[in-house]
Amino acid sequence: MRFRHPDGTTVHLAYCTNVHPAETLDGVLAQLRDHCEPVRRRLGRDRLGIGLWLAADAARALDTDPAALRTLRTALDRRGLEVVTLNGFPYEGFGAEEVKYRVYKPDWADGERLEHTTALARVLTGLLPDDVTEGTISTLPLGWRTAWDGDRDATARSALRTLAERLDALAELTGRSIRVGLEPEPGCIVETTADALAPLAAVGHPRIGVCVDTCHLATSFEDPPAALDALAEARVPLVKSQLSAALHAEHPHLPAVRDALAAFDEPRFLHQTRTLTAAGLRGTDDLGEAVTGTVLPEAGPWRAHFHVPLHAAPAAPLTSTLDVLKGTLTRLVGGPHPLTRHLEVETYTWQALPPALRPRGRAHLADGIAAELALARDLLTDLGLKELP
């Protein structure tokens, strides 16, 4: 979906396809048929943006086989879909029964992460619509915090500098500019936007910046205006933003609240949980550790890294951080100029919701994704943007 900002520029809105992951090109083509096109039809749009997640095998096939890339581009055009952004965070296996810590491998200290991201950038230049010359990719925030040392940090920063050089060369070759954004996430080396400032200053390149995920921003209790202002002051590029909402528990000391939270503790994904205290941020790596243990203080609200549907907040006594998303979006695109032009709804946890809330099939899932995009669309038009055909 495209929107005209009052300053005349185009803002793109997509939804991320990691909600129905596939590991191969055939699987990606099936996604377009079974999920993405039905969502577009529900929204009554001739064109719908999708943020593709390409697993390592699919990315490799598209990068090395021009015919495969043409096949995907043709399928996108035929189904009324367009791609300006990729989710390059998960490498493979995102649909496995247990993902948890595996999603952080390979990290930026591993050469395979650089090669994978370079391949994604090359693929994206071939997928961009004919009238678009700028694409974006989100990637993991260096790596998970444990076992990270000075040598790994130096290797990761060197890899990002090499990536920047490759993106420059790609732009010169194709006339298309690809930018990559580290996506701060709780528990990682770059957990907050503030954590991104030093490593990105060391890279010092306009093609390498930050992807702000509003679920992660809320889980870490960051203040959106302060976070975005700090990025601007440090001249760190805001490459893209993922529009998402975290799980919020206002009174975690109550048994009923603990019971409600426990229903969201599931085995596939990691749900880092945080609370803000006078001494700073406190947290656990997963929701189960919080609800069954005593390590997390109960005096203030808890937030969990669980991407809940934008249009459907959990039932009381829980809620979502949709207000954080709204406040962030106002700063992102509500001013005289957009701070980023690529927005992506990323709710990959539909199938990880408590059983009673999960979609009952493809049609139900398409209904839900369309409802999330409709909410995001309304937020954008309320901020003065005009939806384009």
Side-chain angles (χ1 to χ4, degrees):
M1 299 167 76
R2 298 188 184 191
F3 298 81
R4 181 75 67 204
H5 190 274
D7 76 347
T9 58
T10 300
V11 173
H12 294 264
L13 173 67
Y15 90 89
C16 186
T17 62
N18 62 354
V19 63
H20 15 254
E23 300 291 319
T24 65
L25 175 58
D26 285 344
V28 172
L29 295 172
Q31 286 177 350
L32 306 185
R33 179 194 66 221
D34 297 338
H35 301 288
C36 302
E37 186 176 8
V39 170
R40 177 183 65 76
R41 293 185 181 281
R42 280 162 171 75
L43 289 165
R45 305 293 302 162
D46 293 332
R47 173 174 55 188
L48 177 68
I50 58 171
L52 270 183
W53 173 64
L54 296 172
D57 285 348
R60 193 175 299 113
L62 291 165
D63 184 38
T64 57
D65 184 354
L69 187 59
R70 287 194 298 270
T71 295
L72 177 55
R73 176 62 189 272
T74 299
L76 290 166
D77 293 342
R78 185 174 69 250
R79 299 191 184 282
L81 306 169
E82 66 177 14
V83 175
V84 303
T85 191
L86 301 179
N87 185 336
F89 196 132
Y91 179 76
E92 62 186 358
F94 202 61
E97 291 185 3
E98 181 177 330
V99 178
K100 298 289 185 181
Y101 296 95
R102 291 170 51 193
V103 76
Y104 307 106
K105 295 293 184 179
D107 60 30
W108 274 100
D110 185 326
E112 183 51 39
R113 176 60 64 172
L114 171 61
E115 298 309 317
H116 175 60
T117 309
T118 303
L120 290 177
R122 287 193 293 257
V123 168
L124 184 53
T125 63
L127 295 180
L128 290 176
D130 292 340
D131 61 343
V132 174
T133 59
E134 185 175 295
T136 57
I137 302 170
S138 49
T139 188
L140 83 163
L142 299 187
W144 189 250
R145 69 184 187 280
T146 56
W148 194 264
D149 56 24
D151 289 343
R152 294 184 68 78
D153 195 67
T155 300
R157 295 186 187 202
S158 177
L160 290 176
R161 286 190 287 268
T162 300
L163 175 66
E165 294 170 357
R166 292 180 179 182
L167 295 178
D168 281 344
L170 188 62
E172 185 173 349
L173 177 67
T174 66
R176 295 185 158 190
S177 174
I178 307 299
R179 297 190 298 162
V180 174
L182 303 183
E183 181 184 331
E185 177 168 312
C188 292
I189 295 301
V190 176
E191 174 158 344
T192 66
T193 54
D195 295 333
L197 301 182
L200 290 177
V203 174
H205 198 285
R207 297 195 196 280
I208 310 295
V210 166
C211 166
V212 171
D213 184 302
T214 58
C215 170
H216 303 172
L217 192 77
T219 301
S220 294
F221 287 84
E222 290 198 73
D223 176 62
L228 298 179
D229 287 349
L231 291 175
E233 184 177 346
R235 297 187 178 181
V236 170
L238 183 48
V239 170
K240 65 185 274 191
S241 182
Q242 290 172 325
L243 307 182
S244 52
L247 191 63
H248 180 95
E250 186 67 22
H251 302 292
H253 65 285
L254 297 177
V257 175
R258 292 290 191 103
D259 289 344
L261 283 171
F264 286 83
D265 179 30
E266 54 83 35
R268 178 178 293 182
F269 300 112
L270 206 60
H271 301 295
Q272 303 93 312
T273 305
R274 298 289 186 266
T275 188
L276 190 60
T277 72
L281 205 61
R282 294 280 300 277
T284 60
D285 281 358
D286 214 347
L287 181 56
E289 301 172 49
V291 296
T292 62
T294 59
V295 297
L296 210 56
E298 300 176 328
W302 289 2
R303 289 177 178 173
H305 173 215
F306 195 117
H307 291 229
V308 295
L310 302 187
H311 68 292
L318 303 178
T319 187
S320 79
T321 59
L322 183 62
D323 284 346
V324 175
L325 184 159
K326 291 178 179 178
T328 307
L329 191 60
T330 298
R331 292 298 292 264
L332 288 173
V333 300
H337 306 287
L339 303 184
T340 182
R341 293 188 296 275
H342 289 183
L343 305 172
E344 179 183 56
V345 172
E346 193 206 18
T347 308
Y348 59 84
T349 43
W350 274 95
Q351 300 296 349
L353 289 167
L357 303 178
R358 293 175 192 170
R360 295 183 297 274
R362 289 179 185 169
H364 193 195
L365 177 59
D367 289 342
I369 294 171
E372 290 195 279
L373 284 167
L375 184 148
R377 174 197 62 204
D378 292 346
L379 292 177
L380 291 172
T381 56
D382 287 347
L383 289 171
L385 281 71
K386 180 181 179 181
E387 187 175 6
L388 297 175

